Amino acid sequence: MSQATYCKMWADAQKDLDILLQKEREDFLQPETNLGKVSKMLATSYIQYMEIFRSLAAAYDHLIHQQKRAAIRPVLDGVMGRILEIKMEMVKLDNSECQHLDDLLMELSRPLEDIEIPIPKYFIEENLEVLQQREKTLDEILLNAGLQEQKPAEAMTLAEAIKLIQVAERARQGRSRAVFMRKIYLEEKRTTKQEEQTGRSPDDAATCIQKVWRGYAQRKRTEKMREEEMIFLGITLPPHLEATSSFQKCAGKVKALQGDVQERQDEASFKEKLRETEGPHIQETLQDQISQCFTECRHITGRFPDYPPEKAGGSKAIFSEKTPEQVEDEGWKMGPSNFLSTLEEGSSQFKVFWQNRDNESDFLQDHDPELIKEGKREEVEEEIRVQVAELMEEKLRNLKLHVDGEKAGTQKKGGKGEKAGKASGKKKIPEMERDLTPDRTIDSLYQELAEGGLLVKAQAVNLSDYIGSYDCVRSSLRGTGAQPLPSAPDVRQLVALYGILPLGSQMVHENAPLVKSMLLAGPAGVGKKMLVHAICTETGANLFNLTPSNIAGKYPGREGLLMMLHMVLKVGKELQPSVVWIGDTEKMFSKAAPKGEEEANSKRLGKMLPQFLKALKPKDRVLLVGTTARPFEANMGPFCKVYQKIILIPTPDYMSRFALWKHFILQNGGAFSSLENLSCLAQVSDGFTQGQILDVVQTVLSELRLLQMARKPLRTVEFATSLARHIPVYKEEQETFEAWYAKTPLGRAWSTAQAEREAEDGKAKKGKGKK
């Protein structure tokens, strides 16, 4: 699509955002007692924000104009953050991580795919060079340490071998033709020399010159006619625009152009020019405004104010307007947002600078000097404000001395300031936040963790590779009072919301509801480990493996574990984003007494994890992810204290199994002649996990079987026979998982709310009976 198309997509998204923000001002700021209405309002806003998010992400990824991208970026991050805020509010209201939105989507005439979370490409593309260099460094470390083998040369396929032979044969023919043409050229050269020696007649020479000139003149006329015809048809641009038009570039050069456009203008020159031309005016304006504030304050209070310290904002605090908090009303009310101001500012900026701009005539997609000046003007104003602050503070002291008779004194000894200083001096630094390796570089710590097997290479899988469809049966059970379990698309959404989006954007991580840890629980083979690797792939995050079996014997004792966590924390923060993965995490919180030193070390690490999480601040894009196939063996209290978000992943439903069989068979080179066979496989594989289905497909579709497939088509019984060798997840085991999840904080909240709802329904029926 063209640049104009993406500009229109951006404009439409901004228009929808303005309507949605106006609706939020009207609905969310008013108390509401009807929780059913509140739930529908939140779900509707969630779906609408998701559509805006998708449009803005596409526009940001494909637009070339750097100033347009800079205008989209804060709005895009703000929309992501607002989606997270609304999701948290929905979870709090429903006491469940899963909200079934299929009825509302049908009412809004939207497909189910509209609530899939898009992953912005800039998470990876803006740090691509750093990530590639880091991956290369990690490969070298692992190869030198013997933890990774040199990749062997892969055997060629038949098609690749044929292509290689064709290339070699064409090269041989080209060389033979070159030798033949050289012989002809040398022969013609000898003939020409002989003719020159014998001499030509004047008529022959004139004829030769005429021939060359007429050919040259005709070629020029033909080229000019072709250019005029192309310009007339609108296929090419006029010559004065052709050299600068970005639309004449091929699609492969668009990404390279994005980085070049923003470097065309030296922004420092704008800043210096602004300082010279507008600096004196800005300084005079600030001094007048601050002096006016001093005068008004003395007129109202009878004395001049104290000058705000720089920590409190300096002279900025003088202009800040503070309003009293509004009185809380009864009923539900949307909590304060950290992103609405960003969205409103982005919307107003779009209306002022971009809404009425002609994008079709902007062939170059170049910068706008006025926008650069506007951004630099704020920087110049801030620098001048600091200089003005010193002058005005001195002026205020003189005013107090000569008008009010006050003298600038010092605080009494033992006053609050001194006491506060003493108190802060005595403050103890938490153990996990101390720098235990002040004399070591990040590179050395990185290498030690990689050589020790704690820093591992993430597998290249995407979140979209987690195959599965929406479960209509489970969504139909939501009126029966059963605890809602996530389907495969729900799992993808939760992992994207709590893991990928905050790790990918610094602004979202710092301002959105903070999620430091997440637990993926479910039977073996449902894709927990794959989801961990998908988080790292989509965000370019480092992966630290602190699984008990992986750290056994490496950092023994409490001091060793403390050093290990310190190194992981230090490297993870410095090279963020990072994911700290703990597989079989239930062993760290086991109810049983430890039998050996390794189990004792694991439980010791489990007790240190709350301190580890406490050391993570909003600016640190580090996520702790635990995976477990036996969560019911863990001590529930400490377990839920460490893991903030708990996602229970059940076995795939019928529609997901159908999609899995089809995807895995096609991926491994197989093919089915009838969908009835796939439907049969989806039926008989009830209770089996994704991992088991993949293993069955890979076992059946061996290299020999693929060669026989042309004369011997695949049959359902081949997969069914291999499937019978696996043990499914029985109903009793699934019920054990569900009973465990019901004991988690969110599960208990759901049960309590459900009991209250049933009691209210019982009272209502009883009242009707009496009447």
Side-chain angles (χ1 to χ4, degrees), residues 119 148 233 379 460 479 518 558 639 679 715 738:
I119 310 297
Q148 179 176 303
L233 295 175
E379 295 182 17
M518 178 170 60
R558 189 178 186 282
F639 205 38
S679 178
R715 295 183 301 159
E738 294 177 16

Side-chain angles (χ1 to χ4, degrees), residues 91-92 94-97 483 519 635-646 739-753:
V91 171
K92 190 191 303 181
D94 297 341
N95 295 310
S96 172
E97 295 286 359
Q483 173 79 1
L519 176 69
N635 195 347
M636 183 62 77
F639 205 38
C640 295
K641 184 180 179 182
V642 167
Y643 292 108
Q644 186 178 348
K645 290 292 179 181
I646 299 176
W740 168 81
Y741 188 75
K743 296 177 184 176
T744 62
L746 201 59
R748 290 198 305 270
W750 165 270
S751 302
T752 304

Side-chain angles (χ1 to χ4, degrees), residues 693-703 705 722 725-726:
I693 293 174
L694 176 61
D695 183 64
V696 167
V697 172
Q698 290 176 340
T699 302
V700 172
L701 296 179
S702 61
E703 191 173 342
R705 184 66 185 87
S722 180
R725 300 189 184 99
H726 293 79

Side-chain angles (χ1 to χ4, degrees), residues 498 514-519 613 616 622-626 640-646:
Y498 299 148
L514 187 59
V515 176
K516 296 182 179 181
S517 57
M518 178 170 60
L519 176 69
L613 294 173
L616 294 177
V622 179
L623 178 68
L624 175 66
V625 183
C640 295
K641 184 180 179 182
V642 167
Y643 292 108
Q644 186 178 348
K645 290 292 179 181
I646 299 176

